[in-house]
Amino acid sequence: MNSSVSPAVNDRLDVSKLPGHIAIIMDGNGRWAEKRLMNRIKGHQAGADAVRRIVRTCREIGIPILTLYAFSTENWQRPEIEVTTLMSLLKKFLDSERNEMIENNIRLNAIGQIDKLPEDVRTSLKRTMDLTGKNKGMLLNLALSYGGRAEIVDMTKAIAGKARDGKIDPDSITAEIVADQLYTRGMPDPDLLIRTSGELRISNFLLWQIAYTEIFITDTLWPDFGKDEFIRILIDFQRRERRFGNVR
Ligand code: FPP
């Protein structure tokens, strides 16, 4: 299955009990660069390599949905040079990985306020989404200009608009109707949320969707995150008992 991971690690992974949806907060690019006395930009470049590594690993193992927090609504406040670099890395990733996504049956999707992205990024994004739109092997969701609160505001506006137009009775609103107005409509909630670089917070990511998600935080900085650790986290996930608020 996964030849570059040690057999002892691979053997302990139960491929019949994999999470259906994994979400990752990719944190620590800046610290990775600072530790090496490099510019933060170098950290983001190394972070983009880690993205390629983890996408490939998920495809190899058979993870159905991977959602990566690539750029938050708050990230627009970073220095202009850093925002420009992140946008150009994103475009480069979309252009360079397009063929591999097509060959490996990966469908690309984006969640967030996509209209806020620069036009060249939107064009690359649309092209990749169009060309991979029918792929069924894996769904790669990039959270771009994404914020959980903004998503909830957008959902509220959509449902309130329907109520105003008499298309929905407010008393009949259910959790399913809410979920159907989120950017993740039609997708199962994440089973596992991984955050790299040790911070113990959610940072406005998938606020509604992670109600019962198992959380794993690692001190590893995102550019150093690799297959071996990823599989160890999956093994840890498989040992957890999920009760969804119920009793054992
Ligand atoms: C957090 O590190 C990471 C980001 C703000 C962006 C994530 C971007 C990438 C991994 C690279 C490009 C993405 C793709 C999809 C090709 P940080 O800068 O907050 O790190 P720090 O907390 O150590 O400063």
Side-chain angles (χ1 to χ4, degrees), residues 26-31 40 44 47-48 51 70 75 78 82 86 89-90 93 222:
M26 309 183 287
D27 194 15
N29 294 348
R31 272 162 284 175
R40 293 175 58 82
H44 293 311
V51 169
N75 287 155
R78 291 194 176 197
E82 189 167 340
L86 281 167
L89 277 174
L90 183 59
F93 173 83
W222 175 250

Side-chain angles (χ1 to χ4, degrees), residues 102-195:
I102 294 168
E103 279 160 24
N104 289 322
N105 202 13
I106 297 174
R107 175 160 78 90
L108 183 85
N109 182 51
I111 57 171
Q113 298 183 328
I114 305 308
D115 54 320
K116 300 227 162 87
L117 299 172
E119 198 185 338
D120 61 337
V121 176
R122 272 186 282 133
T123 304
S124 283
L125 189 60
K126 184 174 181 317
R127 189 163 155 69
T128 310
M129 284 169 61
D130 287 348
L131 287 169
T132 62
K134 292 199 167 65
N135 291 353
K136 300 265 185 287
M138 176 177 138
L139 173 62
L140 171 60
N141 253 331
L142 290 183
L144 300 172
S145 192
Y146 175 88
R149 287 186 170 180
E151 180 179 36
I152 288 171
V153 170
D154 285 350
M155 171 275 292
T156 307
K157 284 182 184 163
I159 295 182
K162 286 184 191 215
R164 180 196 54 213
D165 299 342
K167 290 184 181 143
I168 191 167
D169 169 5
D171 288 335
S172 71
I173 296 171
T174 59
E176 287 72 28
I177 289 174
V178 169
D180 206 42
Q181 294 298 330
L182 298 174
Y183 308 144
T184 49
R185 74 186 57 89
M187 298 174 205
D189 290 338
D191 299 296
L192 173 64
L193 170 69
I194 300 171
R195 179 171 189 141

